[in-house]
Structure formats: C-alpha cells, structure tokens
Amino acid sequence: MTGDALVELEGVTKRFQRGSGTAVTAVDDVTLSVRRGEVLAVIGYSGAGKSTLVRLVNALEQPTTGTVRVAGQDITRLGEKELRAARAGIGMIFQQFNLLSSRTVAGNVAYPLKVAGVGRAERDRRTAELLDFVGLLDRAHAHPEQLSGGQKQRVGIARALATSPPLLLADEATSALDPETTEEVLTLLRRVNTELGVTVMLITHEMEAVRRVADRVAVMEGGRVVELGDVYDVFTAPQTAAAQRFVRSATHDRPSPEALARLREHHAGRLVTVRVTDRPRLQQTVDAAFRDAGTGAELVFGGVGEIRERRAGSLTYELTGDDAAVARALTALRDQGVSVEEEE
Amino acid sequence: MTVEFFDGFLSSTDVFVRAIGQTLLIVSVAMVVSGAVGLVLGVALYATRPGNLFANRLVFGVIGLLVNVIRPIPFVIFLLAVGPLQRLVVGTTLGTEAVTFAIAIAAGFAVARIVEQSLVGVDPGVVEAARAMGASRAAILFGVVVREGLGPLVLGYTFIFVGIVDMSAQAGLVGGGGLGDYAIQYGSQRYDWGVVYAALVAIVAIVVLGQFLGNRLARSVMRR
C-alpha cells in the first residue's frame, strides 16, 4: 500500500454471531486506505456496515479476518496496554455525542488528558485552547445537559482532539442534528482538517455531508465498499446504482421519475441528460454536436453548481429529429468524452 | 380517644427516646455496612457480566446466585437462619449488635442488585467513548460508570433505606431493640395502643426524613 496512508484496511471481514447460531457479515472483505491529511467519507444506508467499519479502525471491534493498520501499526495484534496508547492517537465522535453527564464541559474535554496522564496545569491549558477552538470557552463550566445538540457535538470534537490525535473518526456525527447545526458541525470538522491537519474518517448516510467536507468518498452496501473515488468524480459520474442514489439525494439537477413523467406529457421528443463537468467549452461542444447531427434541442431540466469548488451539474434536453440524427448526436458527444445518457 | 390513651406512652418516654436512638443506630450502621458490601458486590456483578469490562462467567454466576437466593428470603426467617453466623461474628444472636449484623447482610444483597441495575442503566455509548479514548478498564469502571450511575445509585440507596427501617422494626421480634421492640414489649403485649401508634409515628417520621434527604442528594448528584 502507499506510504502516505494513515489507515490501511486489508481484506477486512467482520462477522457477528447471532443468538440462533447464524452469523451476520457486517463488513465483507473490505480493502480501503485513508490518506494522511484527507477527509474520507464512508457513506451507506443503515445496516451497510459503516459503523462497524469505523470501529475496526480503533479496535472497538476486532476483525474476523484481515488486518487493520493505523500509522503502520497493526492494531489487531496489540495487547491492552499498547492498544490504549494507540487509541490516544485516534479521536472519535459519536452520533449521540456520548458526553459524560457527570462532568462539566471542561471536565469532558480534560478527561482523555487525565486518562493519558497529563498533569493538571497542562490539562487546563489544553482544555481552554480546545474550547476556544470550538467556540465554547464561555460554557466551560456548564454541564452537558445544559447545551444544545450542536454545542454537545462541538464539545465531543474538542474532547476527541484533546490528545492531539492525527486521526479523527466521526460516526454519524451530524445525524442527530438539525440542518443548521449540521452545517455548523460540518464547518468545524472541515476546520479540524484544514487548520489542524487532522485526517478525518467521516461515517454518514447524508450525501450533503460528503459534499460539504469530504475529499474522497467510499460507498458501502451490504458490508462491501462498492465505489471509491474523489468526491467530485463520484458526484459527477457515479458508477454504481448505490452511488447514483446517494448523488441524487443531494443534487436536484436530475429529474426524478415523477418529474420525468411530467416532462414526457409535454415533450414528445427523446430526453437525454448531459453531465456538466468543469471541462472547458462544454456548452459549445454540446450545441455543436446537436447542430451537426441535425437535431433540435430544448433545455427542459437541470442545474449547474459547484462540488468541492469545481463546476458540476446536469442538463436534460428534449431532442427532436429522427432516431438516426439523435444517435449521431449522442455518438458525437461520447466521442468527445462528454457523459450523456438517455432517460429511461 | 382521651388523655388515658397515651398514658402508657407518656410513662415510658425514656424508653421511647432510647428506642428511637437504637433504631437510628441500627439503621445507620446497617446502611453504611450494607452500602459498602452491596457496592462491591454490585460493581462486581456489573463488571463481570458476560461481554462487559471484566467478563467472568464464574464470578458473575456465583455472586448472581447468592443474590438471587438470599434476597427473596423473608427477613424474619433470614434473621433466624443467620443465627450460627451471628454467633460466630458477633458472639450472640440477641440484641442490637446481632440484629444490625443480620440486617447489614440481608440488605447488602439487596443493595448489590440495586447497584448493578443503576450501573447497567448507564449509557453504553459513554463507556464506548471512554474505551475509544484509551481509558483503562478500571478507570472506565470507577471514573465513568460508577460516576455516571451515581444519581440512580443514591435513589436506590434511599429505596433500600425504607427496607432497612422495616427490617430494624422486625428485629424487635427477637429483642433487637429499637422502635419495633418498643412497640411489641410496651405496646401490643400490654394492649397499649397509644405506645404502638407513637412508635408508628416515629417510624414514619424517620422514613419520610430519610427519603427527603436521599432525594435531595440524588438531585444534587444528577444536577437536574
């Protein structure tokens, strides 16, 4: 594997024994690496195995087969003591925050430092620094139940970063939050990555979270990673059905089946969708292809925006003209590397 | 009801006051001892439970069996049955000390279950978070689980307090001293209902006061 990988999972399978003797395979032969300094999102529906996958990284779960290396260290072979030391280098935040209700905000952030044997003065200094970073210095002496969900997660993030770990695991960190606080926490996670240089593994079922903070995304289905790529590539050209469903959930430039049915009522021609990427002069290429093939083209649906600061979108045209002309137009576009497909 | 109704009570107020003192002594010593014994057993039950921090089938099974067998025994019968052990430890089966010893043991097993249940109620997510931080199992058990479960634990102790007051009164049957003893010897055996009701009022007052303090303590621990 590449030298710049912070986390390397190799052929990892995790099976859980159920009561009746049947086994459930939560993670199925996954090989995946998280590069140093990136935000890797793992997206999947509930039951796809993503929460189990992230727990294999800090050995909260042991794999049935396969190896898990973090910073070059095979953490499936560590004794309890070494494992505890390794975990100090891996921060984790949770969907339900999992704050200690018997301790104050500052007490929560200081706890991992206490566990690591850091002295009181240094603990206090580091705690104040982290609370300042997440914008909660004024709530240091509050108790967790006095905080809003977004504030709780920010305390969770401060606590996870207390021991200055190079890696942060975020397990559905925004799933219990409303859209506004989700935004706030995602922005903070991005800052953790860019300002502190922490590598982040983000587990989520929300494609919007992927779009906002991730560099790469792994799509999980049935315990397997079915697609892996740069967020931009997966958004603009999802390969698998699972990835396409997720992309559709976060973008609104592709007509839904209902919208398609309405379009067909008013447009007798064939409906084709062109993927918009940041390739130069895309519009000119598309126009020329339609013109040269002799088809009429009417823009009926679509949108163009940005994914990871690059142009991305989708435009649906109604093409009029005989079948041969339409076929010529599609072939010409594909020959020039423009992704185009006919709506079913 | 006339003044005569309380004549017996009024002529034995010194005994009454002494009985209150004895009851308070029995109850507080039994609370402390059973609290400590129950805490150890309850924490052990929680920790050795299959799949938990110090999972140990044998220890969990033995303690669980002891608790399950001893806890349901009606106290009056337990009090008689524990005689040989009382003689061994306290030297006698009669009197306040012997009775306190018996109560502490019986209540200890009840406390064990209450402690275990309070700890089981602690959010497993918090335990997982502590594991993810690299905390040792002992640190998780005492620094996280027991601390997080302290509120319900105090409520549980308050609950057991009522049971201990109840046991202390039953101990009057074997001359254990306290308000139960007083109500029997000076009250029912002499058909003096004034004495019985005075004892009743005193017991109710102790229970109400104890519960009030327990609830307040639990609230301040839980900070709600």
Side-chain angles (χ1 to χ4, degrees):
Chain A
M1 282 209 180
T2 52
D4 68 343
L6 183 56
V7 180
E8 297 162 282
L9 296 132
E10 245 180 75
V12 172
T13 295
K14 174 67 182 179
R15 265 188 289 275
F16 288 105
Q17 221 52 49
R18 285 283 172 264
S20 52
T22 57
V24 177
T25 305
V27 174
D28 190 1
D29 191 23
V30 168
T31 296
L32 179 72
S33 57
V34 186
R35 297 174 188 156
R36 226 174 262 277
E38 77 169 341
V39 177
L40 174 77
V42 177
I43 192 165
Y45 295 107
S46 56
K50 54 197 193 302
S51 279
T52 305
L53 186 77
V54 75
R55 279 164 177 71
L56 291 164
V57 175
N58 59 358
L60 286 176
E61 299 284 359
Q62 288 287 335
T64 311
T65 59
T67 59
V68 180
R69 275 193 297 276
V70 178
Q73 196 177 31
D74 182 351
I75 68 157
T76 58
R77 286 159 192 260
L78 297 181
E80 185 169 326
K81 218 166 175 181
E82 297 115 343
L83 181 56
R84 278 170 43 206
R87 280 175 177 159
I90 309 172
M92 188 170 188
I93 57 174
F94 306 85
Q95 177 170 10
Q96 296 302 331
F97 323 121
N98 295 351
L99 300 181
L100 302 161
S101 61
S102 58
R103 293 174 201 263
T104 61
V105 164
N108 268 276
V109 178
Y111 186 68
L113 295 167
K114 211 169 171 177
V115 162
V118 175
R120 170 135 205 179
E122 172 60 13
R123 263 195 336 250
D124 290 350
R125 190 197 63 76
R126 180 80 181 131
T127 301
E129 182 178 74
L130 283 158
L131 286 176
D132 187 40
F133 179 76
V134 301
L136 285 174
L137 197 50
D138 57 329
R139 306 307 307 274
H141 302 294
H143 273 265
E145 78 267 8
Q146 297 168 310
L147 304 181
S148 70
Q151 288 175 326
K152 282 181 191 164
Q153 195 57 287
R154 278 150 63 193
V155 174
I157 291 171
R159 184 177 70 175
L161 297 175
T163 51
S164 308
L167 174 66
L168 176 66
L169 308 176
D171 182 24
E172 297 278 10
T174 59
S175 301
L177 304 175
D178 60 47
E180 211 165 299
T181 36
T182 292
E183 180 81 19
E184 175 188 307
V185 168
L186 289 177
T187 305
L188 180 57
L189 282 176
R190 192 71 220 173
R191 277 180 61 214
V192 166
N193 177 251
T194 54
E195 291 176 29
L196 306 179
V198 174
T199 304
V200 180
M201 190 170 172
L202 180 83
I203 305 303
T204 184
H205 67 271
E206 297 161 322
M207 202 60 179
E208 192 52 43
V210 174
R211 173 209 200 114
R212 297 260 312 126
V213 299
D215 299 308
R216 290 195 307 149
V217 57
V219 181
M220 276 193 87
E221 197 175 34
R224 293 174 163 272
V225 171
V226 295
E227 189 163 342
L228 172 69
D230 286 345
V231 167
Y232 183 82
D233 295 339
V234 172
F235 261 96
T236 51
Q239 303 298 310
T240 58
Q244 282 160 10
R245 275 201 305 278
F246 279 118
V247 168
R248 210 161 293 183
S249 71
T251 53
H252 307 285
D253 47 21
R254 286 288 298 261
S256 64
E258 296 76 29
L260 210 52
R262 280 191 295 277
L263 286 176
R264 293 207 192 284
E265 281 176 32
H266 305 289
H267 303 281
R270 289 165 62 174
L271 299 174
V272 301
T273 297
V274 173
R275 286 234 166 79
V276 179
T277 61
D278 56 357
R279 69 173 274 162
R281 292 182 298 283
L282 180 75
Q283 182 71 64
Q284 292 173 34
T285 308
V286 171
D287 287 347
F290 290 158
R291 195 178 51 236
D292 295 348
T295 66
E298 170 75 4
L299 183 59
V300 295
F301 202 96
V304 178
E306 273 190 332
I307 302 282
R308 311 268 338 121
E309 295 164 5
R310 289 166 67 186
R311 185 173 66 162
S314 164
L315 297 172
T316 302
Y317 293 92
E318 177 201 22
L319 297 188
T320 47
D322 58 43
D323 287 354
V326 172
R328 270 201 305 281
L330 298 185
T331 308
L333 283 173
R334 286 182 183 133
D335 284 350
Q336 294 178 77
V338 175
S339 170
V340 58
E341 60 185 280
E342 182 154 10
E343 295 294 348
E344 299 290 323
Chain B
M1 242 186 255
T2 60
V3 178
E4 293 138 48
F5 183 79
F6 285 115
D7 273 355
F9 165 66
L10 292 171
S11 63
S12 63
T13 47
D14 54 332
V15 187
F16 176 69
V17 170
R18 200 168 62 236
I20 290 179
Q22 279 172 335
T23 290
L24 289 177
L25 184 72
I26 295 171
V27 169
S28 35
V29 171
M31 276 295 285
V32 171
V33 176
S34 69
V37 170
L39 187 66
V40 171
L41 290 177
V43 168
L45 267 178
Y46 170 83
T48 58
R49 175 181 281 263
N52 223 330
L53 293 163
F54 293 89
N56 185 319
R57 224 170 257 282
L58 183 71
V59 176
F60 180 73
V62 169
I63 300 178
L65 187 72
L66 271 176
V67 171
N68 283 343
V69 169
I70 294 177
R71 210 165 58 107
I73 301 175
F75 181 65
V76 177
I77 293 175
F78 180 82
L79 193 56
L80 304 175
V82 83
L85 194 62
Q86 278 175 324
R87 205 166 290 132
L88 199 73
V89 178
V90 194
T92 173
T93 59
L94 294 172
T96 309
E97 280 176 37
V99 155
T100 307
F101 173 75
I103 294 176
I105 293 182
F109 284 97
V111 171
R113 201 50 101 191
I114 285 171
V115 169
E116 184 203 15
Q117 275 160 10
S118 304
L119 301 188
V120 167
V122 171
D123 179 6
V126 175
V127 176
E128 187 179 47
R131 285 181 65 209
M133 287 173 213
S136 69
R137 291 182 292 167
I140 295 173
L141 189 57
F142 296 105
V144 175
V145 178
V146 172
R147 214 178 141 147
E148 291 285 303
L150 215 53
L153 215 69
V154 172
L155 283 180
Y157 275 127
T158 306
F159 175 77
I160 211 69
F161 168 79
V162 181
I164 287 180
V165 172
D166 178 27
M167 290 186 212
S168 80
Q170 290 182 57
L173 291 171
V174 296
L179 286 161
D181 205 347
Y182 172 70
I184 293 169
Q185 282 193 38
Y186 290 79
S188 69
Q189 282 178 1
R190 296 181 187 176
Y191 302 101
D192 188 336
W193 301 108
V195 164
V196 172
Y197 285 109
L200 184 143
V201 168
I203 284 276
V204 168
I206 289 173
V207 167
V208 167
L209 191 70
Q211 276 185 323
F212 172 75
L213 291 175
N215 288 340
R216 266 190 61 157
L217 185 63
R219 245 203 314 278
S220 79
V221 165
M222 289 194 279
R223 299 180 173 278
R224 270 168 208 148

